[in-house]
């Protein structure tokens, strides 16, 4: 899960990209980067940390030009501790290319071998995003004919990428001397939308991971980029699109609706907020059916993602809804913090109980999901310390039992509390008096009701079914072994940094293919 952004505007784009990354910050807190283009040069600054920490005034002044891309990183493949893996990535052969990517390639190792032996390309990091960039560069080299790069050749190159690359990916790419390219994997697992704005100099376009970035920056949402589709916007603002792969089921990631996306986003025609309300509706029906004798005095959400589900659940049960926790908004999302020790410590820093909402009451806590159980255990303890008589836990999502290989940090089953435990065992482990999970089929119904055209969802972390069809037990064992062997207990980042945010600035002299 990362945030990606691309803009072709009629005026300087650096502030737009910065503001857009701020809106998408929830999708990645590990690193951030922006690249722009002007007069045959790429300008780039990137580094470890939050967007606000990576960029300073000096950096922004150097990011000149009317088009560019941005990225905020949440590491799932490659090293979580290597600043060199901040994006965008750059390659200069056969064209100057800058790429920002959201997702995870499931055949990255195979592609690395192919590129080394056959394509004669060198991969400098362990990031699958650099792999994707080099596959695209190779395909462009294969399809480019003559001194000028044509749009049809670019679309053929993307089709070649989609034939070779497996997994989940949404990408924005700057092509020197040409413009902005954006494409989405043939299953549409990771989200990507496009918006426009009518300005004095012509039409401006924006591509983003979520529609909220389009809305906040004053653009009008046009549509989702379709699975297997590529969109090309040249530097003069001319937009073309092509279906580069087809015939596969559209299978958006269910966890986007459960947790990852902002509630004010629309993904594939589905309101994230409305989907979470629906989850609360189905969860209430399950509680009434499975636990009719449960004595609940108050429903309390665990901020923030669970609020819509908790409010609807409260309404359906006829039980008061109360805000029982105050959130410190200057602590990052614990789900995407590397290392259990860091997560456990941050829970107490992030949330504090309002004691009068718990004292002497049977409390139903509602969370969007339970992944590792660290947060749930700490919050239940906080509720008991605040005086709760009984503490029940409800999850708007089913048990997370399997590794996710499509861009969410769930690669090891050993880290998942539900992987090898029954629901009663999980309840005991987190200290709940009762535990209620959403049913998977109900979850699918809740989201599908909002867009019946989508018949399949990527739900592998719940059911172990991987829609791309290429995931084997050997593959899962390999990434789990790598996870258990290589991941340190903390993020290993040097938090001191320098006063410029720990980033790196670079200007790249580029010559378009036509000028070579």
């Amino acid at each position: 899960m990362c945030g990606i952004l691309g803009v072709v505007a009629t005026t300087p784009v650096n502030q737009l990209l910065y503001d857009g990354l701020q809106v998408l910050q929830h999708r990645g807190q590990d690193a951030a980067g922006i690249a722009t283009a002007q007069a045959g040069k790429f300008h780039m600054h990137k580094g470890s940390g939050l967007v606000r920490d990576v960029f300073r005034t000096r950096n922004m002044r150097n990011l000149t030009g009317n088009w560019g891309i941005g990225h905020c990183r949440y590491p799932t493949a490659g090293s979580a501790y290597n600043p060199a893996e901040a994006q965008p990535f750059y390659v200069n052969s056969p064209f100057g290319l800058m790429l920002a990517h959201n997702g995870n390639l499931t055949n990255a190792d195979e592609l690395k071998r192919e590129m080394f032996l056959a394509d004669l390309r060198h991969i400098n990091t362990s990031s699958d995003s650099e792999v994707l960039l080099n596959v695209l560069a190779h395909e462009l080299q294969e399809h480019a004919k003559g001194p000028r790069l044509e749009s049809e050749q670019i679309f053929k190159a993307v089709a070649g990428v989609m034939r070779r690359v497996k997994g989940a990916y949404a990408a924005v790419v700057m092509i020197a001397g040409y413009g902005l390219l954006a494409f989405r994997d043939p299953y549409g697992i990771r989200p990507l939308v496009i918006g426009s704005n009518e300005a004095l100099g012509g039409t401006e376009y924006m591509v983003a991971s979520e529609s909220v970035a389009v809305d906040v920056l004053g653009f009008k949402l046009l549509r989702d980029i379709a699975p297997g589709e590529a969109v090309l916007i040249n530097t003069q603002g001319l937009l073309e699109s092509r279906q580069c792969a087809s015939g596969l089921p559209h299978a958006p990631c269910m966890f986007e609706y459960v947790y990852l996306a902002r509630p004010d986003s629309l993904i594939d025609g589905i309101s994230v907020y409305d989907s979470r309300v629906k989850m609360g509706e189905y969860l209430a029906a399950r509680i009434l059916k499975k636990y009719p004798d449960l004595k609940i005095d108050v429903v309390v959400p665990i901020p923030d993602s669970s609020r819509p589900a908790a409010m609807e659940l409260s309404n359906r049960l006829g039980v008061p809804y109360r805000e029982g926790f105050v959130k410190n908004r200057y602590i990052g999302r614990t789900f995407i913090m590397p290392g259990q020790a860091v997560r456990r410590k941050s829970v107490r820093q992030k949330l504090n109980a309002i004691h009068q909402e718990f004292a002497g009451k049977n409390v139903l806590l509602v969370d969007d999901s339970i992944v590792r159980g660290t947060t749930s255990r700490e919050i239940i303890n906080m509720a008991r310390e605040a005086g709760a008589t009984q503490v029940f836990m409800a999850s708007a999502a089913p048990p997370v039992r399997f590794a996710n290989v499509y861009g969410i940090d769930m690669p090891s089953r050993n880290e998942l509390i539900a992987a090898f435990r029954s629901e009663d065992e999980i309840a005991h482990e987190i200290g709940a008096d009762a535990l209620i999970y959403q049913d998977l089929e109900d979850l699918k119904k809740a989201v599908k009701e909002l867009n019946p055209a989508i018949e399949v969802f990527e739900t592998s972390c719940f059911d172990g079914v991987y829609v791309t069809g290429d995931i084997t037990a050997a593959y899962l064992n390999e990434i789990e072994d790598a996870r258990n062997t290589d991941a340190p207990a903390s993020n290993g980042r040097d938090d001191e940094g320098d006063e410029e945010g720990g980033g790196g600035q670079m200007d790249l002299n580029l010559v378009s293919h036509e000028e070579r």
Side-chain angles (χ1 to χ4, degrees):
M1 182 185 77
C2 297
I4 62 174
L5 191 68
V7 180
V8 177
T10 59
T11 55
V13 78
N14 53 357
Q15 189 67 49
L16 274 175
L17 289 167
Y18 178 88
D19 292 344
L21 289 183
Q22 289 270 47
V23 175
L24 296 174
Q25 184 73 86
H26 62 284
R27 298 190 67 86
Q29 302 169 9
D30 187 71
I34 291 176
T36 61
Q38 184 183 44
K41 271 189 177 181
F42 279 159
H43 310 282
M44 179 171 67
H45 181 77
K46 60 182 181 177
S48 299
L50 301 175
V51 174
R52 70 184 182 211
D53 299 324
V54 171
F55 299 97
R56 296 290 184 265
T57 301
R58 187 182 75 183
N59 312 133
M60 297 299 291
R61 286 175 180 157
N62 291 333
L63 293 169
T64 56
N66 292 355
W67 62 293
I69 60 176
H71 185 271
C72 52
R73 180 176 186 255
Y74 155 72
T76 55
S79 169
Y81 322 103
N82 185 358
E85 295 187 1
Q87 298 185 38
F89 279 116
Y90 169 74
V91 70
N92 67 353
S93 175
F95 310 96
L97 300 177
M98 283 277 193
L99 176 141
H101 162 231
N102 173 31
N104 192 51
L105 310 188
T106 56
N107 65 334
D109 289 342
E110 176 187 340
L111 290 169
K112 285 180 185 178
R113 288 191 292 270
E114 287 178 8
M115 281 185 285
F116 180 74
L117 296 173
D119 299 353
L120 303 180
R121 286 186 167 272
H122 174 69
I123 305 301
N124 197 48
T125 71
S126 58
S127 172
D128 63 334
S129 301
E130 191 185 6
V131 174
L132 180 62
L133 172 61
N134 277 273
V135 172
L136 175 62
H138 176 79
E139 292 298 322
L140 282 169
Q141 185 172 7
E142 291 293 297
H143 289 89
K145 306 295 180 184
R148 183 177 175 82
L149 183 63
E150 302 289 346
S151 61
E152 196 59 38
Q153 296 164 355
I154 296 173
F155 289 127
K156 286 181 179 178
V158 175
V161 169
M162 292 183 178
R163 283 192 295 270
R164 293 181 66 182
V165 171
K166 298 176 182 178
Y169 50 91
V172 287
V173 185
M174 299 172 73
I175 305 176
Y178 198 93
L180 178 70
L181 169 68
F183 56 91
R184 190 179 180 194
D185 73 77
Y187 292 91
I189 297 172
R190 300 263 72 87
L192 198 61
V193 301
I194 184 168
S196 67
N197 177 54
E198 296 304 322
L200 286 177
T203 303
E204 301 177 322
Y205 290 99
M206 174 181 293
V207 177
S209 292
E210 293 183 34
S211 65
V212 63
V214 175
D215 298 338
V216 170
L217 297 180
F219 282 62
K220 177 184 177 182
L221 179 65
L222 295 177
R223 61 182 177 85
D224 295 90
I225 292 178
E229 182 186 16
V231 171
L232 187 61
I233 308 159
N234 69 17
T235 53
Q236 286 72 49
L238 175 65
L239 184 147
E240 299 178 74
S241 66
R242 193 82 78 254
Q243 195 66 37
C244 297
S246 59
L248 297 172
H250 183 185
C253 174
M254 182 62 83
F255 223 74
E256 292 280 355
Y257 301 101
V258 168
Y259 172 83
L260 299 180
R262 270 182 45 158
D264 45 347
S265 284
L266 292 170
I267 296 178
D268 292 313
I270 296 170
S271 161
V272 175
Y273 177 83
D274 288 345
S275 71
R276 291 175 185 170
V277 171
K278 281 284 184 184
M279 291 173 204
E281 175 186 329
Y282 277 91
L283 186 56
R286 183 167 178 80
I287 291 173
L288 290 171
K289 180 179 179 180
K290 189 173 180 180
Y291 297 91
D293 299 324
L294 207 62
K295 304 299 182 184
I296 303 169
D297 296 320
V298 63
V299 173
V300 174
I302 298 174
D304 284 315
S305 308
S306 67
R307 279 199 178 102
M311 292 178 70
E312 185 63 16
L313 187 152
S314 166
N315 181 53
R316 298 270 171 171
L317 295 182
V319 174
Y321 170 93
R322 292 290 186 269
E323 291 287 342
F325 295 101
V326 175
K327 183 177 182 180
N328 180 349
R329 301 191 179 279
Y330 300 96
I331 300 292
R333 300 177 91 175
T334 55
F335 170 72
I336 61 176
M337 287 182 176
Q340 286 288 74
V342 177
R343 290 188 195 94
R344 188 175 298 112
K345 179 181 177 182
S346 68
V347 172
R348 293 279 177 160
Q349 296 174 334
K350 186 168 91 168
L351 295 177
N352 190 45
I354 302 174
H355 285 234
Q356 61 268 31
E357 296 299 344
F358 295 93
K361 298 177 182 178
N362 294 339
V363 180
L364 175 62
L365 300 178
V366 181
D367 209 349
D368 49 71
S369 58
I370 302 171
V371 180
R372 295 168 175 88
T374 308
T375 301
S376 302
R377 187 181 305 112
E378 290 297 319
I379 289 175
I380 289 171
N381 286 339
M382 290 169 64
R384 293 197 189 281
E385 291 168 7
T389 304
Q390 288 188 298
V391 183
F392 315 124
M393 174 68 79
S395 169
V400 177
R401 300 191 186 278
F402 299 93
N404 182 287
V405 299
Y406 298 126
I408 304 175
D409 188 22
M410 301 177 190
S412 172
R413 293 191 73 190
N414 290 330
E415 297 180 33
L416 306 177
I417 193 169
F420 307 105
R421 294 180 177 91
S422 67
E423 291 187 19
D424 287 342
E425 289 171 333
I426 299 166
H428 176 75
E429 186 72 19
I430 64 176
D433 293 298
L435 174 62
I436 307 99
Y437 277 107
Q438 183 84 266
D439 178 74
L440 179 56
E441 291 307 311
D442 285 346
L443 177 63
K444 293 177 181 178
K445 290 175 187 175
V447 184
K448 185 177 178 181
E449 281 184 20
L450 301 171
N451 184 359
I454 298 179
E455 298 181 354
V456 178
F457 292 94
E458 200 295 298
T459 57
S460 58
C461 60
F462 305 124
D463 59 12
V465 177
Y466 299 92
V467 294
T468 55
D470 61 322
I471 305 304
T472 64
Y475 176 86
L476 294 173
N477 289 335
E478 183 178 333
I479 62 171
E480 184 150 338
D481 288 344
R483 173 80 168 194
N484 294 336
T485 301
D486 298 335
S490 64
N491 63 8
R493 186 184 304 132
D494 179 3
D495 288 329
E496 295 300 320
D498 61 34
E499 64 181 8
E500 292 299 324
Q505 189 88 22
M506 62 185 295
D507 289 344
L508 302 166
N509 289 306
L510 299 173
V511 182
S512 70
H513 185 61
E514 186 177 3
E515 295 170 320
R516 286 182 186 271

